[in-house]
Amino acid sequence: MSSPPLGKVSGVRVLVIGTGGREHALIEALSRDPRVTELHAAPGNPGTAASATNHEVDASSGESVAALAAELGADLVVIGPEVPLVLGVADAVRARGIAVFGPSAEAAKIEGSKAFAKDVMEAAGVRTARSEIVDSPAIIDAALDRFGPTWVIKDDGLAAGKGVVVTADRAAARAHAADLIESGRPALFESFLDGPEVSLFCLVDGETVVPLLPAQDHKRVGDGDTGPNTGGMGAYSPLPWLAEGVVDEIVDTVVRPVAREMVRRGVPFSGLLYAGLAIGAEGPAVVEFNCRFGDPETQAVLGLLESPLAEALHATATGTLADLPPLQWRDGAAITVVLAAENYPATPRKGDVITGADGPGIYHAGTALDGEGRLVSAGGRVLNVVGVGDDLAAARADAYAKLERIKLPGSHFRKDIGHQAL
Ligand code: GLY
């Protein structure tokens, strides 16, 4: 990539691909970077429209995204969600000579193909769960015998967390596996990894790895980690209970070995490598890798970032991450609380009017404007509310105070995000 280091230029045009709260938070953080003079979102949402220009685009079409980036004269394209990455949208943008933050389709297989991820981890000597693909009802019972007594059963495709069942109830595990197989989707059985979970996001450019602050998300819908799994109901960062040195340990024993192995295979990773880990008695073990920023942890993590984000993403995109000055973070803590629509995660009700959703730290995830220009719910996870404070208690107070001002009929949110960490 021949473009100059972003630190030395101004008047930078950035295009962010995606529609969710993560993309809204990325846009808000990019807008704080003084180099950025033009921000575009595609497709974006009513929230991103406040600081970016939204454009209609088929985000899963590399040709369409690349054409839009060229038309806008974008200096940097940031691809938020995994689906376009797995489909090769970053490759199409790169082919036009435009810097893009996000891995190639081949490297995105670290999220898109469980078999590829396991193979890379095995070659890199990284601890992870044992797993098996179960694709026939006839072999479910034998697989249930080999796993458990806590069963972890996942949709083997990209299901954004929603295809995951973790249960001690054998009948429920069996039913989920049978449902997946019946709908033509193999079930992935995994051994249960004990210990608290950590999401560690790392900027990765070949073998160069720069970790962001660690975070934890809350995947179950209900307080006290009850109810079904969701795409994520909230998150907080950093993790006061995580022993000093564990982030370095994760980088040294998990992320860097995987990044090196990908370089060795000729599929170097460029973008955000997200390690989801369980911190057990024997140390960190990988639950999964993702090829993009996590949602809703990103909204909290970026709430603490003081360094210019466009510079960091551009350095990653152009192979100059090793020259990036160390990232600066504000002291304190941040949390994201997800405001979900009635009946999420089953069949969320849509079209309800939302009020009070203005102000800093309120990111749109599933919203739309109705025919009368009113803001309405348009998805299961509607808003992400981020609180920041000098400690976790202050961050929680900030987020929940903001939530009190937002009205959405039938909505619900978890009251205990970050609470256990206190
Ligand atoms: N935080 C879960 C995910 O982004 O997949």
Side-chain angles (χ1 to χ4, degrees), residues 51-354:
S51 28
T53 306
N54 287 350
H55 303 266
E56 282 297 319
V57 80
D58 174 1
S60 58
S61 159
E63 269 318 299
S64 305
V65 171
L68 176 64
E71 184 190 318
L72 296 171
D75 303 291
L76 174 67
V77 176
V78 179
I79 301 179
E82 62 276 20
V83 171
L85 292 167
V86 168
L87 292 174
V89 171
D91 304 270
V93 177
R94 252 183 221 113
R96 299 246 186 164
I98 300 169
V100 55
F101 182 83
S104 65
E106 278 298 301
K109 282 165 72 182
I110 197 77
E111 175 166 1
S113 161
K114 303 277 190 299
F116 176 82
K118 293 280 173 196
D119 201 48
V120 168
M121 282 189 271
E122 197 174 315
V126 167
R127 291 184 59 233
T128 184
R130 179 171 61 84
S131 69
E132 276 178 39
I133 299 279
V134 177
D135 57 5
S136 154
I139 58 173
I140 293 179
D141 283 311
L144 288 167
D145 292 343
R146 287 193 294 279
F147 289 83
T150 298
W151 289 275
V152 181
I153 300 185
K154 299 182 176 176
D155 184 332
D156 189 41
L158 288 175
K162 291 177 280 290
V164 183
V165 162
V166 180
T167 180
D169 177 344
R170 186 178 169 115
R174 190 179 201 300
H176 185 56
D179 282 352
L180 286 171
I181 295 166
E182 200 171 298
S183 59
R185 307 153 79 89
L188 182 83
F189 280 52
E190 279 189 355
S191 57
F192 179 64
L193 293 173
D194 216 357
E197 289 197 7
V198 171
S199 300
L200 187 67
F201 303 157
C202 297
L203 302 175
V204 172
D205 147 25
E207 295 193 10
T208 307
V209 177
V210 174
L212 310 189
L213 291 180
Q216 186 180 55
D217 76 354
H218 294 58
K219 295 196 175 91
R220 303 275 185 163
V221 72
D223 284 350
D225 292 327
T226 53
N229 255 63
T230 68
M233 291 298 289
Y236 65 100
S237 176
L239 307 177
W241 49 267
L242 192 67
E244 219 185 305
V246 176
V247 167
D248 289 342
E249 183 187 348
I250 295 169
V251 170
D252 292 343
T253 64
V254 173
V255 185
R256 196 171 291 114
V258 162
R260 280 199 179 126
E261 173 60 20
M262 293 183 74
V263 170
R264 196 192 66 75
R265 288 175 183 227
V267 280
F269 192 95
S270 169
L272 195 290
L273 189 54
Y274 161 166
L277 309 123
I279 311 297
E282 291 165 27
V286 174
V287 177
E288 64 182 4
F289 271 108
N290 294 315
C291 65
R292 38 81 197 173
F293 280 101
D295 191 345
E297 301 99 308
T298 298
Q299 293 84 314
V301 170
L302 292 181
L304 298 171
L305 182 69
E306 287 183 335
S307 299
L309 182 63
E311 184 185 22
L313 302 187
H314 187 270
T316 310
T318 53
T320 57
L321 184 58
D323 303 330
L324 185 75
L327 294 177
Q328 302 295 319
W329 302 94
R330 72 153 275 179
D331 288 336
I335 83 163
T336 314
V337 183
V338 170
L339 182 74
E342 179 167 332
N343 210 29
Y344 177 78
T347 319
R349 197 174 77 194
K350 298 179 187 169
D352 286 302
V353 173
I354 307 161

Side-chain angles (χ1 to χ4, degrees), residues 338-395:
V338 170
L339 182 74
E342 179 167 332
N343 210 29
Y344 177 78
T347 319
R349 197 174 77 194
K350 298 179 187 169
D352 286 302
V353 173
I354 307 161
T355 56
D358 315 307
I362 298 175
Y363 301 118
H364 292 221
T367 67
L369 296 177
D370 72 4
E372 294 164 44
R374 295 175 307 180
L375 188 68
V376 295
S377 55
R381 294 189 295 167
V382 180
L383 294 171
N384 306 151
V385 179
V386 173
V388 178
D390 289 341
D391 56 23
L392 194 49

